[in-house]
Amino acid sequence: MSENSPVDAMRRAIDTAREGALAKIMAAQDSASLRDLGIELSRKTSGLVALKGEMGKLSSTADKRAVGQYLNNATTEIAAALAARTTEFADQELLRRVENERIDLSELLTTRRRGHSHIVTQATQRLEDVFVGLGFQVAEGPEVETDFYNFEALNMPRSHPSRSEFDTMFLEFGEPGSTLLRTHMSPVQIRVMKTWKPPIYAIMPGRAFRRDTPDATHMPVFHQIEGLVVDRGITFAHLAGTIEAFTKAFFDSEFTSRLRPSYFPFTEPSAEFDIRTPDGDWIELGGCGMVHPNVLISGGIDPEEFSGFAFGFGIDRMAKERHKVDDIREMYTNDLRFLRQF
Ligand code: FA5
């Protein structure tokens, strides 16, 4: 075949069209222009497609087959180049998007969204810190208690009228009325006396349960902190001094405390203690007194040798007063707008 044969002429035309198309593909700057280029190349008037139409001009079947094969190869090569460049752009665009949408998580470490302890947990930890600073140790006891620890060992036998002051939640377990959710933290006093030896300087924070209707100052599940001191020669003056030292450390030095005569079966004498705010308001915090000799005996301690004092107050109410929250229920609705303030 001479250089000027129709087949050669077609081949050269195919080469030119192919190279032109490949150059355009390489020159495309983004996937949108590549897509337009793909459409343009498939138009009837575009190089290779137009050449296909000219094949009819070839005279022999052998020529048609040879040129047809050449044209197919060129078309395949262009399609592959288009596909490769399309993938290249898609990869680049994905990378760019990932880069743009990157979230800087280190921000979370510095913003308020980090989360923190609940207002009542904070109060409990602060109470523990203050009392540990005064030389107390922290003790724990179970939330499900027996009648013995919650009442009987605390000088409240079955018929005792003051049992009715604790609206008790009983569990269906064992003898009816024998198992309950502790109504206060005082049962832990007995557990501590039975397992530790005097001198005892203990605080016992925890959850207590009563059939109380929720209102601004009551919850059916609430928190108390109990304190117990048993040592030789402990007097009421030690109790008053401890309450005063605690009040100043927990609130601030502008606060003072006072004790008012009261009654608890497990202490004798007993008192309520109030704190006075710098504004002059008196706020009732809890009960206290000298541990009743019967209670020392329940705990296995000789009342002739040792004496002690105990106190117990509501942590939720203290947190409420410290942060001037109007209603104790606010602390348990889990509204983050409220909780984030503390
Ligand atoms: C007692 O529970 C005694 N065990 C305290 C005590 C211990 C006295 C040691 C003497 C010696 P009382 O029932 O008053 O006492 O409760 C003490 C405090 O718990 C209350 O002053 C109050 O702050 C808190 N409290 C009681 N019931 C609730 C409740 N339903 N919701 C929130 N706080 C409560």
Side-chain angles (χ1 to χ4, degrees):
M1 261 189 279
S2 83
E3 281 208 0
N4 290 323
S5 73
V7 171
D8 271 345
M10 282 291 278
R11 279 192 173 150
R12 275 198 304 278
I14 290 168
D15 285 344
T16 309
R18 191 194 62 200
E19 273 149 32
L22 289 175
K24 280 185 183 170
I25 290 169
M26 291 320 289
Q29 291 300 313
D30 52 40
S31 57
S33 50
L34 198 65
R35 206 171 321 124
D36 293 344
L37 183 61
I39 294 167
E40 185 194 314
L41 291 175
S42 62
R43 281 212 187 97
K44 281 198 171 127
T45 51
S46 85
L48 288 179
V49 184
L51 284 170
K52 204 172 190 176
E54 285 182 27
M55 278 188 25
K57 292 181 187 163
L58 295 168
S59 47
S60 74
T61 314
D63 283 356
K64 281 182 184 161
R65 191 174 295 141
V67 171
Q69 186 65 50
Y70 202 74
L71 192 65
N72 276 347
N73 289 348
T75 310
T76 311
E77 197 181 329
I78 287 168
L82 259 178
R85 196 97 172 104
T86 305
T87 312
E88 206 177 299
F89 281 133
D91 287 351
Q92 284 174 9
E93 275 155 27
L94 180 67
L95 265 180
R96 220 171 301 134
R97 213 175 66 218
V98 168
E99 194 58 37
N100 287 343
E101 291 173 4
R102 179 195 221 102
I103 301 172
D104 185 0
L105 292 174
S106 62
E107 249 179 55
L108 294 177
L109 296 175
T110 53
T111 62
R112 286 199 306 148
R113 258 170 287 160
R114 191 173 159 196
H116 61 267
S117 302
H118 187 269
I119 175 172
V120 172
T121 308
Q122 286 178 36
T124 308
Q125 286 167 349
R126 204 176 137 80
L127 285 164
E128 287 178 7
D129 285 350
V130 168
F131 279 111
V132 167
L134 292 172
F136 285 70
Q137 281 178 282
V138 181
E140 285 182 340
E143 293 180 348
V144 173
E145 265 299 4
T146 60
D147 176 272
F148 174 79
Y149 284 102
N150 197 81
F151 291 123
E152 201 149 343
L154 290 165
N155 202 30
M156 285 181 278
R158 279 206 183 241
S159 57
H160 202 285
S162 63
R163 279 187 176 215
S164 61
E165 283 170 28
F166 298 98
D167 274 321
T168 309
M169 292 193 242
F170 290 97
L171 299 180
E172 283 183 10
F173 185 83
E175 288 280 300
S178 65
T179 315
L180 46 87
L181 292 177
R182 65 183 176 201
T183 58
H184 54 169
M185 291 305 292
S186 299
V188 191
Q189 277 189 36
I190 306 295
R191 293 185 177 272
V192 166
M193 284 191 260
K194 276 173 171 277
T195 47
W196 300 12
K197 293 222 162 342
I200 294 170
Y201 291 80
I203 48 155
M204 299 143 255
R207 282 203 295 186
F209 308 81
R210 288 182 199 174
R211 281 192 300 136
D212 282 343
T213 307
D215 64 22
T217 53
H218 291 83
M219 286 295 286
V221 181
F222 58 101
H223 300 78
Q224 285 188 335
I225 185 164
E226 184 91 3
L228 174 70
V229 168
V230 179
D231 205 343
R232 287 192 174 84
I234 295 292
T235 69
F236 203 89
H238 294 119
L239 167 60
T242 304
I243 298 278
E244 180 71 5
F246 152 75
T247 303
K248 292 201 180 315
F250 186 81
F251 293 94
D252 74 52
S253 54
E254 308 267 292
F255 283 71
T256 52
S257 62
R258 77 174 172 200
L259 299 175
R260 283 179 290 117
S262 184
Y263 171 78
F264 294 99
F266 28 92
T267 45
E268 179 59 37
S270 302
E272 293 286 350
F273 71 89
D274 308 325
I275 54 163
R276 197 177 74 113
T277 70
D279 303 335
D281 297 333
W282 287 100
I283 297 160
E284 184 186 313
L285 271 197
C288 59
M290 300 304 290
V291 182
H292 195 289
N294 289 350
V295 175
L296 289 173
I297 292 167
S298 300
I301 290 171
D302 180 1
E304 297 295 327
E305 192 180 352
F306 293 101
S307 59
F309 67 77
F311 55 83
F313 48 83
I315 300 177
D316 318 73
R317 284 201 199 160
M318 256 176 74
K320 176 180 176 296
E321 293 310 330
R322 207 167 108 78
H323 297 288
K324 303 204 178 340
V325 175
D326 290 336
D327 191 319
I328 216 166
R329 289 169 292 190
E330 294 252 42
M331 305 199 285
Y332 295 102
T333 50
N334 289 340
D335 184 338
L336 287 177
R337 288 167 304 178
F338 170 80
L339 292 173
R340 279 202 184 116
Q341 299 175 85
F342 308 103

